[in-house]
Amino acid sequence: MSAPNNNQRHTIAVLVDNEPGVLARVVGLFSGRGYNIESLTVAETKPEAGVSRITIVTSGTIQIIEQIKNQLRRLVPVHTVSDLTIEGPHVERELALVKVSGTAGRVESLRIADIFRARVVDSTNESFVFEIVGRPDKLEAFIKLMKPLGLVDVARTGVVAIARGPQAL
């Protein structure tokens, strides 16, 4: 009998100075301790202040997640570390480009895309490229339905997330 899996998925937002080597230090923290990164996005959010936001989706036990957050807080130049999963309601989105080929399932592909509110951003006689935005589970469901219709390729951005309400990170 195996032990129960107490891993939980967490979305962590980190504000850092936008300077060379910061992302390498954050990723090094994860790889050096054997933690997995399920999704990673980085973008400058306050150009005037030289601040970037790193959004990391990871999983682990409560103790591992606490370790990750504490170790992130000790990194220089980290300003704030927020675990959006436990700090209250938040919004998560991801973008994917999904290429489907073939002519047999064209009508079905378009019908499913319409249901999922995916947009056709490129079309040839042999293929479509759909753009879909939503929660990661919505993207997974769309991709799963496209597999039997001729799924060729998928490119995903990774999760971006923001807390609900008037407060900033």
Side-chain angles (χ1 to χ4, degrees):
M1 186 165 159
S2 64
N5 184 348
N6 293 324
N7 283 351
Q8 298 175 358
R9 180 183 174 275
H10 283 252
T11 302
I12 300 170
V14 185
L15 289 182
V16 299
D17 286 343
N18 184 12
E19 60 184 46
V22 174
L23 182 59
R25 280 182 256 163
V26 169
V27 171
L29 182 151
F30 277 78
S31 66
R33 289 161 181 82
Y35 304 144
N36 187 43
I37 296 174
E38 295 175 19
S39 172
L40 175 70
T41 59
V42 184
E44 190 172 48
T45 56
K46 298 178 183 175
E48 68 285 350
V51 174
S52 290
R53 180 184 187 116
I54 301 173
T55 304
I56 304 165
V57 178
T58 189
S59 11
T61 63
I62 293 169
Q63 294 82 9
I64 288 175
I65 298 298
E66 285 304 315
Q67 276 182 342
I68 289 170
K69 292 187 297 189
N70 288 333
Q71 290 166 357
L72 283 168
R73 286 184 187 105
R74 281 182 260 184
L75 286 179
V76 175
V78 169
H79 295 277
T80 61
V81 176
S82 297
D83 186 344
L84 297 173
T85 303
I86 63 171
E87 291 179 10
H90 66 284
V91 177
E92 287 187 14
R93 291 294 180 267
E94 185 176 4
L95 176 135
L97 297 175
V98 179
K99 185 186 295 183
V100 179
S101 74
T103 54
R106 288 177 71 83
V107 173
E108 184 68 6
S109 296
L110 290 169
R111 187 183 69 75
I112 292 169
D114 187 50
I115 292 168
F116 279 82
R117 295 190 177 127
R119 285 186 330 122
V120 175
V121 293
D122 185 62
S123 178
T124 68
N125 289 335
E126 297 86 30
S127 68
F128 287 115
V129 175
F130 296 104
E131 173 188 82
I132 182 167
V133 177
R135 292 183 49 90
D137 55 338
K138 174 185 174 182
L139 274 60
E140 290 294 335
F142 181 74
I143 292 165
K144 183 178 178 183
L145 289 171
M146 290 296 145
K147 281 183 182 174
L149 299 175
L151 179 70
V152 174
D153 202 3
V154 177
R156 295 175 73 158
T157 60
V159 173
V160 293
I162 195 163
R164 294 188 65 208
Q167 300 86 296
L169 182 59

